[in-house]
Short mmCIF file of all heavy atoms in Angstrom, two decimals:
data_model
loop_
_atom_site.label_atom_id
_atom_site.label_comp_id
_atom_site.label_asym_id
_atom_site.label_seq_id
_atom_site.Cartn_x
_atom_site.Cartn_y
_atom_site.Cartn_z
N VAL Y 61 -74.50 -52.23 114.19
CA VAL Y 61 -74.01 -52.98 113.09
C VAL Y 61 -74.12 -54.49 113.45
O VAL Y 61 -73.57 -54.93 114.45
CB VAL Y 61 -72.53 -52.64 112.72
CG1 VAL Y 61 -72.01 -53.55 111.55
CG2 VAL Y 61 -72.38 -51.14 112.35
N CYS Y 62 -74.90 -55.27 112.64
CA CYS Y 62 -75.04 -56.68 112.88
C CYS Y 62 -73.91 -57.40 112.25
O CYS Y 62 -73.59 -57.26 111.08
CB CYS Y 62 -76.36 -57.19 112.32
SG CYS Y 62 -77.79 -56.27 112.99
N CYS Y 63 -73.21 -58.21 113.06
CA CYS Y 63 -72.12 -59.00 112.49
C CYS Y 63 -72.56 -60.15 111.70
O CYS Y 63 -73.64 -60.75 112.00
CB CYS Y 63 -71.14 -59.41 113.64
SG CYS Y 63 -70.51 -58.06 114.64
N SER Y 64 -71.74 -60.58 110.76
CA SER Y 64 -72.10 -61.63 109.81
C SER Y 64 -72.21 -63.03 110.43
O SER Y 64 -72.81 -63.93 109.85
CB SER Y 64 -71.14 -61.66 108.66
OG SER Y 64 -69.83 -61.89 109.14
N ASP Y 65 -71.68 -63.23 111.69
CA ASP Y 65 -71.79 -64.51 112.27
C ASP Y 65 -73.19 -64.73 112.91
O ASP Y 65 -73.44 -65.83 113.39
CB ASP Y 65 -70.76 -64.63 113.37
CG ASP Y 65 -70.92 -63.70 114.60
OD1 ASP Y 65 -71.75 -62.74 114.43
OD2 ASP Y 65 -70.19 -63.84 115.62
N GLY Y 66 -74.01 -63.74 112.85
CA GLY Y 66 -75.34 -63.89 113.35
C GLY Y 66 -75.48 -63.94 114.91
O GLY Y 66 -76.51 -64.26 115.42
N GLN Y 67 -74.41 -63.68 115.57
CA GLN Y 67 -74.37 -63.72 117.03
C GLN Y 67 -73.95 -62.42 117.68
O GLN Y 67 -74.30 -62.28 118.90
CB GLN Y 67 -73.42 -64.88 117.49
CG GLN Y 67 -73.91 -66.26 117.05
CD GLN Y 67 -72.96 -67.34 117.44
OE1 GLN Y 67 -71.74 -67.11 117.40
NE2 GLN Y 67 -73.48 -68.49 117.71
N HIS Y 68 -73.21 -61.61 116.99
CA HIS Y 68 -72.64 -60.42 117.66
C HIS Y 68 -73.16 -59.10 116.98
O HIS Y 68 -73.63 -59.20 115.80
CB HIS Y 68 -71.16 -60.46 117.71
CG HIS Y 68 -70.60 -61.65 118.48
ND1 HIS Y 68 -70.32 -62.82 117.95
CD2 HIS Y 68 -70.35 -61.73 119.87
CE1 HIS Y 68 -69.91 -63.63 118.89
NE2 HIS Y 68 -69.95 -62.98 120.07
N CYS Y 69 -72.88 -58.03 117.57
CA CYS Y 69 -73.22 -56.80 116.97
C CYS Y 69 -72.21 -55.69 117.50
O CYS Y 69 -71.59 -55.89 118.59
CB CYS Y 69 -74.67 -56.29 117.28
SG CYS Y 69 -75.07 -56.20 119.00
N CYS Y 70 -72.09 -54.64 116.81
CA CYS Y 70 -71.13 -53.56 117.15
C CYS Y 70 -71.82 -52.18 117.09
O CYS Y 70 -72.86 -52.04 116.43
CB CYS Y 70 -70.01 -53.53 116.10
SG CYS Y 70 -68.81 -54.92 116.43
N PRO Y 71 -71.28 -51.19 117.85
CA PRO Y 71 -71.90 -49.84 117.79
C PRO Y 71 -71.83 -49.22 116.38
O PRO Y 71 -71.00 -49.59 115.62
CB PRO Y 71 -70.96 -49.06 118.77
CG PRO Y 71 -70.30 -50.09 119.51
CD PRO Y 71 -70.12 -51.27 118.68
N GLN Y 72 -72.70 -48.29 116.18
CA GLN Y 72 -72.84 -47.57 114.93
C GLN Y 72 -71.48 -46.96 114.61
O GLN Y 72 -70.85 -46.43 115.52
CB GLN Y 72 -73.89 -46.52 114.98
CG GLN Y 72 -74.13 -45.72 113.74
CD GLN Y 72 -75.18 -44.68 113.97
OE1 GLN Y 72 -75.51 -44.28 115.07
NE2 GLN Y 72 -75.79 -44.21 112.84
N GLY Y 73 -71.05 -46.94 113.38
CA GLY Y 73 -69.79 -46.31 113.00
C GLY Y 73 -68.61 -47.19 113.12
O GLY Y 73 -67.49 -46.79 112.90
N THR Y 74 -68.82 -48.51 113.56
CA THR Y 74 -67.63 -49.41 113.72
C THR Y 74 -67.87 -50.58 112.82
O THR Y 74 -69.03 -50.69 112.27
CB THR Y 74 -67.50 -49.89 115.16
OG1 THR Y 74 -68.62 -50.65 115.55
CG2 THR Y 74 -67.35 -48.72 116.11
N VAL Y 75 -66.94 -51.45 112.64
CA VAL Y 75 -67.12 -52.69 111.86
C VAL Y 75 -66.74 -53.91 112.70
O VAL Y 75 -65.97 -53.72 113.70
CB VAL Y 75 -66.29 -52.65 110.56
CG1 VAL Y 75 -66.81 -51.71 109.57
CG2 VAL Y 75 -64.83 -52.41 110.93
N CYS Y 76 -67.36 -55.01 112.45
CA CYS Y 76 -67.05 -56.25 113.22
C CYS Y 76 -65.75 -56.79 112.83
O CYS Y 76 -65.50 -57.02 111.59
CB CYS Y 76 -68.22 -57.24 112.94
SG CYS Y 76 -69.88 -56.63 113.26
N ASP Y 77 -64.91 -57.11 113.73
CA ASP Y 77 -63.64 -57.77 113.46
C ASP Y 77 -63.74 -59.16 114.22
O ASP Y 77 -63.47 -59.35 115.36
CB ASP Y 77 -62.49 -57.01 114.01
CG ASP Y 77 -61.10 -57.60 113.67
OD1 ASP Y 77 -61.14 -58.77 113.25
OD2 ASP Y 77 -60.05 -56.98 113.89
N LEU Y 78 -64.38 -60.11 113.40
CA LEU Y 78 -64.68 -61.42 113.99
C LEU Y 78 -63.46 -62.23 114.39
O LEU Y 78 -63.50 -62.98 115.36
CB LEU Y 78 -65.57 -62.27 113.05
CG LEU Y 78 -66.99 -61.63 112.77
CD1 LEU Y 78 -67.69 -62.36 111.67
CD2 LEU Y 78 -67.78 -61.48 114.04
N GLU Y 79 -62.34 -61.97 113.67
CA GLU Y 79 -61.15 -62.63 113.95
C GLU Y 79 -60.62 -62.26 115.37
O GLU Y 79 -60.17 -63.12 116.10
CB GLU Y 79 -59.98 -62.28 112.95
CG GLU Y 79 -60.26 -62.99 111.57
CD GLU Y 79 -59.17 -62.72 110.64
OE1 GLU Y 79 -58.05 -62.19 111.02
OE2 GLU Y 79 -59.37 -62.86 109.43
N ARG Y 80 -60.67 -61.00 115.73
CA ARG Y 80 -60.25 -60.61 117.05
C ARG Y 80 -61.28 -60.44 118.05
O ARG Y 80 -61.12 -59.99 119.19
CB ARG Y 80 -59.52 -59.19 116.92
CG ARG Y 80 -58.22 -59.33 116.03
CD ARG Y 80 -57.53 -58.02 115.97
NE ARG Y 80 -56.38 -58.03 115.06
CZ ARG Y 80 -56.45 -57.84 113.72
NH1 ARG Y 80 -57.62 -57.70 113.12
NH2 ARG Y 80 -55.31 -57.94 112.98
N SER Y 81 -62.60 -60.66 117.57
CA SER Y 81 -63.81 -60.48 118.43
C SER Y 81 -63.87 -59.04 119.01
O SER Y 81 -64.16 -58.87 120.16
CB SER Y 81 -63.81 -61.51 119.64
OG SER Y 81 -63.84 -62.84 119.07
N THR Y 82 -63.65 -58.11 118.17
CA THR Y 82 -63.79 -56.68 118.61
C THR Y 82 -64.53 -55.88 117.51
O THR Y 82 -64.82 -56.35 116.44
CB THR Y 82 -62.36 -56.04 118.78
OG1 THR Y 82 -61.70 -56.14 117.52
CG2 THR Y 82 -61.53 -56.67 119.82
N CYS Y 83 -64.88 -54.66 117.91
CA CYS Y 83 -65.46 -53.73 117.02
C CYS Y 83 -64.43 -52.64 116.69
O CYS Y 83 -63.97 -52.03 117.62
CB CYS Y 83 -66.73 -53.13 117.65
SG CYS Y 83 -67.94 -54.35 118.14
N THR Y 84 -64.11 -52.45 115.46
CA THR Y 84 -63.07 -51.55 115.14
C THR Y 84 -63.68 -50.31 114.45
O THR Y 84 -64.59 -50.37 113.69
CB THR Y 84 -62.02 -52.11 114.16
OG1 THR Y 84 -62.68 -52.60 113.00
CG2 THR Y 84 -61.29 -53.30 114.88
N SER Y 85 -63.09 -49.19 114.79
CA SER Y 85 -63.56 -47.85 114.26
C SER Y 85 -63.09 -47.69 112.81
O SER Y 85 -61.94 -47.93 112.53
CB SER Y 85 -63.10 -46.77 115.13
OG SER Y 85 -63.43 -45.54 114.57
N GLU Y 86 -63.97 -47.19 111.94
CA GLU Y 86 -63.62 -46.97 110.58
C GLU Y 86 -63.68 -45.47 110.31
O GLU Y 86 -63.80 -45.02 109.22
CB GLU Y 86 -64.60 -47.65 109.66
CG GLU Y 86 -64.08 -48.97 109.12
CD GLU Y 86 -64.73 -49.48 107.86
OE1 GLU Y 86 -65.86 -49.04 107.57
OE2 GLU Y 86 -64.09 -50.16 107.13
N ARG Y 87 -63.59 -44.72 111.40
CA ARG Y 87 -63.68 -43.24 111.24
C ARG Y 87 -62.51 -42.75 110.33
O ARG Y 87 -61.40 -43.07 110.54
CB ARG Y 87 -63.52 -42.59 112.65
CG ARG Y 87 -64.27 -41.27 112.69
CD ARG Y 87 -64.32 -40.82 114.19
NE ARG Y 87 -65.03 -41.69 115.11
CZ ARG Y 87 -64.66 -41.93 116.29
NH1 ARG Y 87 -63.61 -41.38 116.84
NH2 ARG Y 87 -65.34 -42.74 117.01
N PRO Y 88 -62.83 -42.02 109.31
CA PRO Y 88 -61.75 -41.59 108.45
C PRO Y 88 -60.76 -40.68 109.24
O PRO Y 88 -61.18 -39.84 109.98
CB PRO Y 88 -62.45 -40.79 107.38
CG PRO Y 88 -63.77 -40.41 107.89
CD PRO Y 88 -64.15 -41.45 108.93
N LEU Y 89 -59.54 -40.88 108.87
CA LEU Y 89 -58.49 -40.08 109.50
C LEU Y 89 -58.43 -38.66 108.99
O LEU Y 89 -58.58 -38.54 107.79
CB LEU Y 89 -57.20 -40.74 109.35
CG LEU Y 89 -57.02 -42.18 109.91
CD1 LEU Y 89 -55.69 -42.78 109.43
CD2 LEU Y 89 -57.18 -42.19 111.40
N ALA Y 90 -58.31 -37.72 109.86
CA ALA Y 90 -58.27 -36.36 109.40
C ALA Y 90 -56.94 -36.19 108.53
O ALA Y 90 -55.89 -36.55 108.96
CB ALA Y 90 -58.16 -35.40 110.54
N SER Y 91 -57.10 -35.63 107.39
CA SER Y 91 -55.91 -35.50 106.54
C SER Y 91 -56.04 -34.32 105.58
O SER Y 91 -57.17 -33.96 105.27
CB SER Y 91 -55.68 -36.71 105.66
OG SER Y 91 -56.70 -36.97 104.84
N LEU Y 92 -54.97 -33.68 105.28
CA LEU Y 92 -55.00 -32.62 104.33
C LEU Y 92 -54.29 -33.11 103.09
O LEU Y 92 -53.41 -33.99 103.14
CB LEU Y 92 -54.19 -31.45 104.89
CG LEU Y 92 -54.87 -30.66 105.97
CD1 LEU Y 92 -53.89 -29.61 106.52
CD2 LEU Y 92 -56.11 -30.02 105.63
N PRO Y 93 -54.63 -32.55 101.87
CA PRO Y 93 -53.80 -32.97 100.74
C PRO Y 93 -52.37 -32.66 100.86
O PRO Y 93 -52.00 -31.87 101.69
CB PRO Y 93 -54.46 -32.21 99.62
CG PRO Y 93 -55.22 -31.06 100.28
CD PRO Y 93 -55.59 -31.50 101.61
N LYS Y 94 -51.61 -33.34 100.08
CA LYS Y 94 -50.20 -33.19 100.12
C LYS Y 94 -49.91 -31.62 99.86
O LYS Y 94 -50.53 -30.96 99.09
CB LYS Y 94 -49.54 -33.98 98.92
CG LYS Y 94 -48.02 -33.89 98.86
CD LYS Y 94 -47.50 -34.68 97.69
CE LYS Y 94 -46.05 -34.41 97.49
NZ LYS Y 94 -45.58 -34.95 96.29
N VAL Y 95 -48.95 -31.19 100.63
CA VAL Y 95 -48.56 -29.77 100.55
C VAL Y 95 -47.94 -29.55 99.19
O VAL Y 95 -46.95 -30.21 98.82
CB VAL Y 95 -47.62 -29.34 101.67
CG1 VAL Y 95 -47.14 -27.88 101.55
CG2 VAL Y 95 -48.38 -29.50 103.02
N ARG Y 96 -48.38 -28.49 98.45
CA ARG Y 96 -47.86 -28.34 97.06
C ARG Y 96 -47.26 -26.97 96.91
O ARG Y 96 -47.08 -26.48 95.80
CB ARG Y 96 -49.00 -28.54 96.10
CG ARG Y 96 -49.55 -29.94 96.05
CD ARG Y 96 -50.59 -30.07 94.98
NE ARG Y 96 -51.13 -31.37 94.90
CZ ARG Y 96 -50.60 -32.40 94.23
NH1 ARG Y 96 -49.57 -32.22 93.47
NH2 ARG Y 96 -51.23 -33.59 94.22
N ASP Y 97 -46.90 -26.22 98.01
CA ASP Y 97 -46.26 -25.04 97.91
C ASP Y 97 -44.89 -25.15 97.08
O ASP Y 97 -44.25 -26.10 97.30
CB ASP Y 97 -45.94 -24.42 99.27
CG ASP Y 97 -47.12 -23.62 99.85
OD1 ASP Y 97 -48.17 -23.68 99.12
OD2 ASP Y 97 -47.04 -23.18 101.04
N VAL Y 98 -44.60 -24.15 96.31
CA VAL Y 98 -43.32 -24.21 95.57
C VAL Y 98 -42.32 -23.54 96.49
O VAL Y 98 -42.46 -22.37 96.87
CB VAL Y 98 -43.54 -23.43 94.24
CG1 VAL Y 98 -42.18 -23.36 93.49
CG2 VAL Y 98 -44.64 -24.03 93.34
N LYS Y 99 -41.36 -24.25 96.86
CA LYS Y 99 -40.37 -23.86 97.77
C LYS Y 99 -39.26 -23.06 97.07
O LYS Y 99 -38.67 -23.58 96.14
CB LYS Y 99 -39.77 -25.03 98.49
CG LYS Y 99 -39.04 -24.74 99.79
CD LYS Y 99 -38.71 -26.02 100.50
CE LYS Y 99 -37.75 -25.82 101.62
NZ LYS Y 99 -37.32 -27.08 102.31
N CYS Y 100 -38.98 -21.78 97.48
CA CYS Y 100 -37.98 -21.01 96.82
C CYS Y 100 -36.62 -21.21 97.56
O CYS Y 100 -35.58 -21.39 96.94
CB CYS Y 100 -38.28 -19.50 96.90
SG CYS Y 100 -39.86 -19.18 96.04
N ASP Y 101 -36.72 -21.24 98.91
CA ASP Y 101 -35.50 -21.56 99.70
C ASP Y 101 -36.04 -22.11 101.09
O ASP Y 101 -37.30 -22.32 101.17
CB ASP Y 101 -34.54 -20.34 99.89
CG ASP Y 101 -35.19 -19.14 100.47
OD1 ASP Y 101 -36.15 -19.33 101.27
OD2 ASP Y 101 -34.70 -18.01 100.32
N GLU Y 102 -35.25 -22.17 102.05
CA GLU Y 102 -35.63 -22.73 103.32
C GLU Y 102 -36.68 -21.86 104.03
O GLU Y 102 -37.39 -22.35 104.85
CB GLU Y 102 -34.47 -22.96 104.27
CG GLU Y 102 -33.43 -24.04 103.89
CD GLU Y 102 -34.19 -25.36 103.84
OE1 GLU Y 102 -34.89 -25.73 104.81
OE2 GLU Y 102 -33.89 -26.13 102.86
N GLU Y 103 -36.73 -20.61 103.69
CA GLU Y 103 -37.62 -19.70 104.41
C GLU Y 103 -38.75 -19.09 103.61
O GLU Y 103 -39.76 -18.63 104.12
CB GLU Y 103 -36.82 -18.51 104.96
CG GLU Y 103 -35.90 -18.84 106.02
CD GLU Y 103 -34.75 -17.88 106.24
OE1 GLU Y 103 -34.86 -16.78 105.62
OE2 GLU Y 103 -33.80 -18.23 107.06
N THR Y 104 -38.69 -19.20 102.29
CA THR Y 104 -39.77 -18.63 101.44
C THR Y 104 -40.32 -19.65 100.46
O THR Y 104 -39.63 -20.50 100.08
CB THR Y 104 -39.29 -17.38 100.67
OG1 THR Y 104 -38.09 -17.71 100.00
CG2 THR Y 104 -39.04 -16.20 101.56
N SER Y 105 -41.63 -19.36 100.13
CA SER Y 105 -42.25 -20.25 99.10
C SER Y 105 -43.37 -19.49 98.36
O SER Y 105 -43.76 -18.37 98.79
CB SER Y 105 -42.88 -21.48 99.83
OG SER Y 105 -43.98 -21.06 100.77
N CYS Y 106 -43.76 -20.12 97.23
CA CYS Y 106 -44.84 -19.52 96.41
C CYS Y 106 -45.92 -20.47 96.33
O CYS Y 106 -45.74 -21.72 96.53
CB CYS Y 106 -44.23 -19.23 95.00
SG CYS Y 106 -43.07 -17.83 94.92
N PRO Y 107 -47.13 -20.06 96.09
CA PRO Y 107 -48.33 -20.97 95.98
C PRO Y 107 -48.09 -21.93 94.85
O PRO Y 107 -47.32 -21.75 93.90
CB PRO Y 107 -49.48 -19.99 95.67
CG PRO Y 107 -49.01 -18.62 96.12
CD PRO Y 107 -47.52 -18.60 95.89
#
């Protein structure tokens, strides 16, 4: 990745953080959608 200052570059999959002079990862965080089970009580639930 070529940085916009025309002087630096960063590895593929990262972005240039010119303020901190670093390359930061933009890898999406693993996440699941919000759990939507219908809770009947503390021990049982329905879809």
Side-chain angles (χ1 to χ4, degrees):
V61 175
C62 303
C63 300
S64 58
D65 64 351
Q67 294 176 328
H68 298 94
C69 56
C70 283
Q72 184 180 19
T74 66
V75 289
C76 306
D77 185 346
L78 296 174
E79 285 181 21
R80 297 181 184 83
S81 296
T82 58
C83 302
T84 57
S85 173
E86 265 201 331
R87 209 172 295 143
L89 302 172
S91 62
L92 290 175
K94 185 184 168 188
V95 175
R96 295 182 182 273
D97 277 0
V98 178
K99 198 172 171 183
C100 300
D101 58 25
E102 289 300 317
E103 290 161 9
T104 49
S105 64
C106 288

